[in-house]
Amino acid sequence: DAGITQSPRHKVTETGTPVTLRCHQTENHRYMYWYRQDPGHGLRLIHYSYGVKDTDKGEVSDGYSVSRSKTEDFLLTLESATSSQTSVYFCAISESRVGANVLTFGAGSRLTVL
Amino acid sequence: AQSVTQLDSHVSVSEGTPVLLRCNYSSSYSPSLFWYVQHPNKGLQLLLKYTSAATLVKGINGFEAEFKKRETSFHLTKPSAHMSDAAEYFCVVTFSGGSNYNLTFGKGTLLTVNP
């Protein structure tokens, strides 16, 4: 997980509260991604970024927003958390957008919404 | 359109015996295929990738996979399992030249290694 730090690593919150997860990289990679991992679903893309202030939606973006004001930071925000957003969230980075380019993943952030 | 199916949700082997994790894919275009491994409470790590070069791909820790176009398969194998191989394994597909925005992950296969 060298080069990517996710914070917090664990969080318990209540329904309706806002939550922000942070992904910080030291690799200077242009592309950053947020995934969620749920049992029986593999990983699903929430949002991605292809540069500072350049972001777009992934497969499961409803209820989530992102921001990228610096190359090294990519924030994922749940404006009003729901129990269905209980999951493990992974940040990933890559040097280019091409599919053959390997993703490097962070260690994950486990979110529990009560 | 693309999809990936990992045929076993759980595989259990004894230490020292062969490992076979099965993955079938479908893709409208020439695929790029990957295997990632996830150890408990860790992020995913790339094991190996196929990107239209040699059909037999060697990865880290003694794993390899063979791309079989006719069978649309990309099974992961290792001749002799080690206790440290116990983890969850994900098969991933995209189309050759496609972006990382279009990766499709399988649902994962949990590998248990018994002493």
Side-chain angles (χ1 to χ4, degrees), chain A residues 1 9 31 33 35 37 40-43 45 48 50 90 94 96-103 105-107 110, chain B residues 32 34 36 38 41-46 49 51 88 90 94-95 97-103 105-108:
Chain A
D1 305 339
R9 293 292 312 280
Y31 297 86
Y33 314 82
Y35 286 89
Q37 182 180 32
H41 286 277
L43 271 72
L45 183 63
Y48 59 92
Y50 47 95
F90 286 96
S94 66
S96 84
R97 69 167 187 84
V98 176
N101 197 261
V102 173
L103 295 180
F105 286 84
R110 182 176 296 275
Chain B
S32 291
F34 309 80
Y36 280 83
Q38 184 182 28
N41 300 311
K42 299 287 188 181
L44 279 71
Q45 178 187 16
L46 181 73
K49 65 179 181 181
T51 55
E88 189 158 23
F90 293 93
T94 185
F95 53 89
S99 74
N100 281 326
Y101 320 149
N102 302 112
L103 297 176
F105 286 76
K107 295 182 178 181

Side-chain angles (χ1 to χ4, degrees), chain A residues 31-36 44-50 54-68 74-79 85 89-93, chain B residues 100-101:
Chain A
Y31 297 86
M32 299 186 74
Y33 314 82
W34 276 108
Y35 286 89
R36 61 177 290 172
R44 292 178 291 176
L45 183 63
I46 305 171
H47 280 280
Y48 59 92
S49 170
Y50 47 95
D54 292 323
T55 65
D56 207 344
K57 297 178 179 180
E59 176 188 358
V60 289
S61 60
D62 287 349
Y64 302 94
S65 62
V66 290
S67 65
R68 190 168 178 199
F74 192 32
L75 304 181
L76 177 70
T77 297
L78 292 65
E79 300 290 348
Q85 294 176 311
Y89 292 86
F90 286 96
C91 176
I93 63 175
Chain B
N100 281 326
Y101 320 149

Side-chain angles (χ1 to χ4, degrees), chain B residues 4-109:
Chain B
V4 59
T5 302
Q6 292 185 240
L7 297 169
D8 306 291
S9 59
H10 187 198
V11 170
S12 182
V13 301
S14 297
E15 190 174 20
T17 64
V19 175
L20 170 63
L21 305 183
R22 299 181 295 165
C23 173
N24 285 355
Y25 71 91
S26 71
S27 177
S28 301
Y29 304 93
S30 295
S32 291
L33 294 153
F34 309 80
W35 276 99
Y36 280 83
V37 60
Q38 184 182 28
H39 288 94
N41 300 311
K42 299 287 188 181
L44 279 71
Q45 178 187 16
L46 181 73
L47 271 180
L48 49 81
K49 65 179 181 181
Y50 166 78
T51 55
S52 75
T55 57
L56 182 62
V57 182
K58 295 187 183 299
I60 62 172
N61 299 333
F63 284 94
E64 63 182 37
E66 186 172 7
F67 172 70
K68 294 186 175 181
K69 184 176 181 179
R70 190 175 304 176
E71 299 171 19
T72 62
S73 69
F74 190 58
H75 300 336
L76 182 69
T77 61
K78 183 174 180 177
S80 176
H82 191 273
M83 295 297 290
S84 61
D85 295 328
E88 189 158 23
Y89 292 79
F90 293 93
C91 184
V92 183
V93 66
T94 185
F95 53 89
S96 183
S99 74
N100 281 326
Y101 320 149
N102 302 112
L103 297 176
T104 299
F105 286 76
K107 295 182 178 181
T109 298

